[in-house]
Amino acid sequence: MNEQQRKESTQVNPSDKKSEKDYSQYFQTVYMPPSLKDAKKRGKEEVKYDGFAIPEQFRGMGQDKKFYIRTYGCQMNEHDTEVMAGIFMALGYEPTNGVEDADVILLNTCAIRENAENKVFGELGHLKTLKKQRPGLLLGVCGCMSQEESVVNRILKVHPFVDMIFGTHNIHRLPHILNEAYMSKEMVVEVWSKEGDVIENLPKQRKGNIKAWVNIMYGCDKFCTYCIVPYTRGKERSRRPEEIVQEVRHLAAQGYKEITLLGQNVNAYGKDFEDMEYGLGDLMEEIHKIDIPRIRFTTSHPRDFDDHLIEVLAKGGNLLDHIHLPVQSGSTDVLKIMARKYSRESYLELVRKIKEAMPNASLTTDIIVGFPNETDEQFEETMSLYREVEFDSAYTFIYSPREGTPAAKMEDNVPMEVKKERLQRLNALVNETSAKKLKEYEGKVVDVLVEGESKNNPEVLAGYTEKSKLVNFRAPKTAIGQIVKVKITKAKTWTLDGEMIEETVEVN
Ligand code: SAH
Ligand code: SF4
Ligand code: F3S
């Protein structure tokens, strides 16, 4: 469908319900399904930078209506939800905390592993009842699963009551998609597979006023052989530094205390700029100067982690020395088949450099066990690498074949019981190492950014250290939103208990 065809006739009142058939002449149903084949292409076309604005004719679309978004997956999705919530609010909708009184429900989905997808299909089953009770309810599926042809086909076939499916590149089109869905009797499917857009000026309804996410780049060009993300998120494209700096400054002025810079592979930041040499190190140097106490970034790919970035991070201050550095496997042979493009040795060398420049740095990681044909010896290499690096913690996964990725075509001789056993052994090591690391905190004083009351006990406050350790302690509620000094009294399995010793706002 081309740009011309995309232009809907929107002179009708968008809040009219789809049951009012008279308006059918004013719209054309959108059917733009995804294509994994197109998503795989990496063209030379330029990144298009565009601005977002609510089209005048859609203002007030959400009057007296409520929206609810359920989010699955990574921080990128969490932040996309904040953007969609921002768009809903700009259209006049109000947020609600549950599906019961929502007029629009969106499932912002994740495709990274099979169990992530199963959760969403299960939820669609539940929502069918709700949709039957309230036919006027709009139900949408967005996020990474929408980018997969097989998912869209399955929804069309098995869950035809869904009103709209839109992709990760179509978020800024939400007002148009909602309008189409109100008007149309058919399912609205708008999933662009191939794009090069960076949309600025997106409204954001952030969760909380202490920590904020800031996208620095979109997409991924790494094509690790097991991973669906390059297909669901498109090619790597960076936001311009001045836009990012302006957003961070604005957040600092609003009183936010912590920023996490987001990208699938933030170390590739700036590689797509044709007019200048500018990387993550340069951006961090710029953001280092902004008066905001804590800056984090995620996720790092070991391959693009350069010396300049290490040098900048070593300046410390608001640049926190907690680095999430997914290794995936400790075996060079497995890493090769995964197409990670680094070896066990080069990963260890990078860790050595980081620790040399930042002796207190804490490292966390992601690991996949049971990659096709992974041998016992290769798995042992992962175990020994883990021991050698002594990660603070890790996310561990059993390999899950993803349709359309090269690894999904590989024959796999590792039985599921073996994979599960390996995961258990690895998890035991992860837990043991984490406990040991937490124990070292006993008696030490740490800076804690206080986020609020503890989930289990409203008398107790909870917050995170610079190294992302959860600390529970008693203190007056005025400490919420502040960075305070806490003496650690006891290390528990996953968290730390402490006593506040003074209330301080950190100054860079
Ligand atoms: N961009 C990040 C990772 C995003 S996905 C990076 O490259 O580090 C988060 C984690 O999910 C990955 O690090 C990997 O460990 C895991 N993962 C991705 N695809 C997977 C698959 N097919 N099966 C199991 N785990 C997977
Ligand atoms: Fe997936 Fe690899 Fe890209 Fe990470 S770097 S998102 S694991 S393809
Ligand atoms: Fe999942 Fe998409 Fe994130 S697949 S992990 S939500 S980028």
Side-chain angles (χ1 to χ4, degrees):
M1 196 167 291
N2 61 32
E3 199 53 46
Q4 193 53 41
Q5 288 169 302
R6 240 180 242 149
K7 286 192 181 126
E8 310 88 335
S9 304
T10 47
Q11 284 73 18
V12 288
N13 177 0
S15 63
D16 287 326
K17 285 267 149 42
K18 59 197 289 184
S19 52
E20 294 176 35
K21 295 183 189 119
D22 296 344
Y23 294 122
S24 56
Q25 54 180 309
Y26 291 102
F27 67 87
Q28 57 195 40
T29 302
V30 177
Y31 183 68
M32 227 184 290
S35 151
L36 282 182
K37 215 169 122 222
D38 283 348
K40 196 174 178 178
K41 291 181 192 148
R42 289 295 183 265
K44 269 272 151 226
E45 69 268 27
E46 258 179 49
V47 175
K48 215 172 84 210
Y49 291 87
D50 222 340
F52 176 86
I54 297 282
E56 210 41 57
Q57 70 267 33
F58 298 145
R59 288 199 180 275
M61 179 196 269
Q63 209 182 341
D64 302 323
K65 293 198 182 83
K66 292 182 179 160
F67 72 94
Y68 176 76
I69 310 175
R70 182 159 290 164
T71 315
Y72 303 81
C74 65
Q75 293 100 326
M76 195 69 72
N77 254 18
E78 295 271 354
H79 189 45
D80 284 349
T81 288
E82 293 182 332
V83 170
M84 291 190 286
I87 297 176
F88 272 117
M89 308 276 282
L91 289 169
Y93 290 84
E94 267 181 55
T96 172
N97 289 329
V99 291
E100 291 73 26
D101 61 338
D103 300 284
V104 185
I105 299 172
L106 291 185
L107 302 184
N108 190 9
T109 64
C110 170
I112 201 83
R113 283 169 291 275
E114 197 184 351
N115 58 3
E117 296 202 348
N118 288 344
K119 278 189 216 157
V120 172
F121 286 122
E123 187 59 26
L124 280 176
H126 296 146
L127 290 173
K128 187 178 179 178
T129 325
L130 205 66
K131 181 76 189 169
K132 267 194 186 146
Q133 289 161 355
R134 289 166 40 209
L137 167 76
L138 276 194
L139 183 57
V141 176
C142 56
C144 287
M145 279 171 71
S146 310
Q147 298 289 142
E148 296 178 282
E149 289 152 74
S150 59
V151 169
V152 171
N153 290 337
R154 179 164 163 188
I155 294 176
L156 283 165
K157 230 196 238 157
V158 186
H159 307 282
F161 53 90
V162 168
D163 299 280
M164 50 194 170
I165 304 179
F166 60 97
T168 57
H169 308 306
N170 305 72
I171 288 173
H172 63 290
R173 298 260 314 149
L174 183 57
H176 300 263
I177 294 162
L178 283 168
N179 181 61
E180 282 285 341
Y182 280 122
M183 302 300 175
S184 168
K185 289 187 277 342
E186 307 295 323
M187 194 187 297
V188 173
V189 179
E190 191 189 284
V191 185
W192 298 345
S193 298
K194 209 166 169 325
E195 42 44 63
D197 298 356
V198 171
I199 312 291
E200 291 298 346
N201 262 337
L202 289 163
K204 284 150 204 153
Q205 183 62 34
R206 297 183 192 272
K207 216 166 125 192
N209 52 9
I210 301 171
K211 303 203 289 193
W213 284 304
V214 172
N215 281 125
I216 65 167
M217 61 182 301
Y218 304 96
C220 180
D221 285 348
K222 289 286 177 282
F223 288 101
C224 303
T225 53
Y226 51 82
C227 186
I228 193 79
V229 172
Y231 308 83
T232 64
R233 292 278 168 175
K235 71 173 182 180
E236 280 175 2
R237 53 219 191 274
S238 305
R239 286 179 72 196
R240 301 296 299 186
E242 53 280 12
E243 296 281 355
I244 299 167
V245 167
Q246 193 190 25
E247 188 173 341
V248 177
R249 274 192 211 288
H250 185 61
L251 289 164
Q254 288 176 286
Y256 281 87
K257 295 289 192 300
E258 182 176 306
I259 302 293
T260 303
L261 306 177
L262 276 188
Q264 282 306 336
N265 169 18
V266 286
N267 302 70
Y269 176 75
K271 285 195 162 183
D272 53 320
F273 292 151
E274 292 194 344
D275 57 336
M276 58 176 175
E277 287 272 320
Y278 195 94
L280 182 63
D282 303 299
L283 181 69
M284 294 297 276
E285 209 160 11
E286 203 62 43
I287 291 176
H288 178 58
K289 296 179 204 149
I290 301 176
D291 186 14
I292 197 150
R294 290 183 168 191
I295 306 289
R296 301 181 190 276
F297 58 100
T298 198
T299 301
S300 276
H301 191 295
R303 188 175 152 210
D304 296 320
F305 211 110
D306 59 30
D307 292 349
H308 179 48
L309 177 62
I310 298 179
E311 207 179 292
V312 173
L313 290 178
K315 292 182 182 177
N318 59 0
L319 308 179
L320 301 189
D321 56 358
H322 167 202
I323 298 165
H324 187 63
L325 196 62
V327 66
Q328 313 301 356
S329 166
S331 152
T332 296
D333 288 339
V334 174
L335 289 169
K336 201 173 234 163
I337 315 171
M338 287 177 164
R340 290 289 288 181
K341 310 227 166 66
Y342 56 83
S343 63
R344 175 189 177 94
E345 291 68 34
S346 61
Y347 184 90
L348 287 172
E349 172 59 16
L350 175 60
V351 169
R352 194 196 56 74
K353 276 201 228 165
I354 292 173
K355 287 189 172 171
E356 189 179 74
M358 293 169 265
N360 292 322
S362 73
L363 292 170
T364 52
T365 199
D366 293 350
I367 294 172
I368 297 177
V369 302
F371 193 71
N373 306 316
E374 181 192 56
T375 64
D376 280 335
E377 291 73 32
Q378 287 167 337
F379 172 68
E380 290 307 328
E381 287 190 81
T382 299
M383 295 286 279
S384 70
L385 179 130
Y386 199 92
R387 283 191 204 98
E388 190 167 340
V389 179
E390 282 211 308
F391 292 102
D392 272 38
S393 67
Y395 294 105
T396 58
F397 312 101
I398 289 184
Y399 165 70
S400 170
R402 306 283 64 216
E403 196 184 321
T405 63
K409 294 190 199 87
M410 294 175 194
E411 250 180 72
D412 187 1
N413 62 13
V414 190
M416 188 45 90
E417 296 85 84
V418 174
K419 295 184 192 227
K420 284 187 179 160
E421 221 172 86
R422 286 180 190 163
L423 184 72
Q424 269 178 12
R425 280 192 53 212
L426 176 62
N427 283 345
L429 175 61
V430 169
N431 296 347
E432 187 191 310
T433 318
S434 301
K436 187 180 140 205
K437 294 245 160 175
L438 279 182
K439 197 83 188 152
E440 289 167 9
Y441 278 91
E442 285 185 355
K444 288 198 178 140
V445 174
V446 287
D447 285 344
V448 176
L449 172 55
V450 191
E451 293 195 5
E453 293 168 2
S454 134
K455 269 190 205 141
N456 307 326
N457 183 355
E459 299 291 303
V460 170
L461 298 186
Y464 286 88
T465 69
E466 293 186 351
K467 310 251 191 300
S468 308
K469 310 285 183 219
L470 180 61
V471 184
N472 291 305
F473 60 101
R474 281 175 200 274
K477 302 268 190 278
T478 49
I480 295 173
Q482 307 295 324
I483 293 173
V484 300
K485 296 231 177 275
V486 175
K487 185 168 183 182
I488 302 304
T489 50
K490 191 167 172 38
K492 297 205 165 158
T493 321
W494 305 111
T495 60
L496 299 167
D497 281 352
E499 281 164 4
M500 187 170 88
I501 51 176
E502 57 174 304
E503 206 169 322
T504 50
V505 178
E506 180 146 313
V507 183
N508 291 317

